[in-house]
Amino acid sequence: MSSDFVHLHVHTQYSLLDGACRVEDLVNKAADLGMKALGMTDHGNMFGAVHFYQAAKKAGIKPIIGCEAYVAQGSRLEKNSDQRSISHLLLLAKDNQGYANLIKLVSAGYLDGFYYKPRMDKELLSQYAKGLICTSACLKGEVSNFLLKGNYNLALKSADELSQIFGKDNFYIELMDHGLREQKKVNEGLIKIAQELSLKTVATNDVHYLNQ
């Protein structure tokens, strides 16, 4: 039995103090379920990229390397109490250039943007967007967060801005359903935004654990 579904939003042991999936166990479980590919999107880092790539290849799984990035509300270079608020954004490398750009983004997040978290900003994302697929991420994504606050227009503006940075073919509205009331509310807005801006949607499961 094989599955066409691919987990693209996945946190491994390298999402420190957050992800509980050990890499070998994770890829072997995906292989046992007949999955052909698997993503790795740890919080703010790519520390496990080589480990994950080698383990996935060994298990016969196509590795998709990414990162759930922390994005500053303004400039990543501003470091004051007003800048502690950050949003999440899911980035996936679709080719070698995307992988190289993802390395540059994550490195800059630590070297230039670190303030409590390794932060990118939209200026940096615009500079290194080529070869990357981007999704609107979880409830902590900027688009979803605006919807949670009841501000549809700002959510729409944010989605439009991201689609311009990455291109409509490479930006997806991400939908999750873990039975949370907030997700049900946000998903209605996300679907409306996707329709209004002619954007594609992708269903994910924000994986932090190997088993229920």
Side-chain angles (χ1 to χ4, degrees):
M1 178 181 176
S2 65
S3 171
D4 291 330
F5 180 79
V6 174
H7 279 293
L8 295 175
H9 192 138
V10 182
H11 296 282
T12 75
Q13 68 205 63
Y14 292 95
S15 283
L16 304 180
L17 301 177
D18 184 74
C21 298
R22 295 190 181 275
V23 169
E24 281 80 6
D25 295 339
L26 179 70
V27 296
N28 289 334
K29 181 69 176 282
D32 289 345
L33 292 172
M35 294 183 173
K36 301 179 180 70
L38 181 67
M40 181 198 72
T41 56
D42 286 309
H43 280 302
N45 77 74
M46 296 170 65
F47 302 153
V50 174
H51 183 186
F52 171 73
Y53 179 89
Q54 293 174 340
K57 284 292 190 180
K58 185 178 179 181
I61 296 286
K62 178 182 178 180
I64 302 171
I65 296 173
C67 176
E68 185 167 15
Y70 298 114
V71 182
Q73 296 303 301
S75 170
R76 70 189 185 282
L77 304 176
E78 294 178 14
K79 298 172 184 179
N80 55 60
S81 58
D82 294 334
Q83 295 301 318
R84 288 194 63 176
S85 178
I86 52 175
S87 60
H88 293 193
L89 198 65
L90 203 75
L91 302 173
L92 300 165
K94 71 174 185 177
D95 53 29
N96 287 338
Q97 179 158 20
Y99 178 69
N101 281 337
L102 190 58
I103 290 172
K104 290 175 182 176
L105 285 166
V106 171
S107 297
Y110 279 93
L111 295 173
D112 301 330
F114 197 94
Y115 184 68
Y116 290 88
K117 302 283 188 182
R119 306 170 307 150
M120 306 172 190
D121 60 20
K122 289 177 183 174
E123 177 189 16
L124 200 65
L125 289 167
S126 297
Q127 190 176 350
Y128 295 111
K130 193 167 184 182
L132 291 173
I133 290 172
C134 174
T135 80
S136 57
C138 55
L139 287 174
K140 291 185 179 179
E142 186 177 69
V143 180
S144 295
N145 191 250
F146 282 136
L147 289 172
L148 271 177
K149 293 177 179 177
N151 199 324
Y152 179 82
N153 288 335
L154 280 181
L156 183 69
K157 181 181 177 183
S158 174
D160 186 48
E161 188 174 13
L162 289 167
S163 73
Q164 290 181 42
I165 289 173
F166 292 95
K168 282 196 173 183
D169 288 340
N170 296 315
F171 177 66
Y172 290 74
I173 294 294
E174 186 171 350
L175 303 172
M176 297 180 178
D177 185 1
H178 301 105
L180 301 175
R181 185 178 62 225
E182 293 88 347
Q183 284 177 331
K184 183 177 180 180
K185 174 185 175 181
V186 164
N187 283 345
E188 292 174 358
L190 289 173
I191 291 169
K192 184 178 177 182
I193 286 172
Q195 292 171 340
E196 189 165 343
L197 296 177
S198 299
L199 297 173
K200 293 175 284 190
T201 59
V202 60
T204 69
N205 187 341
D206 196 350
V207 177
H208 287 74
Y209 301 96
L210 189 65
N211 299 302
Q212 186 173 354

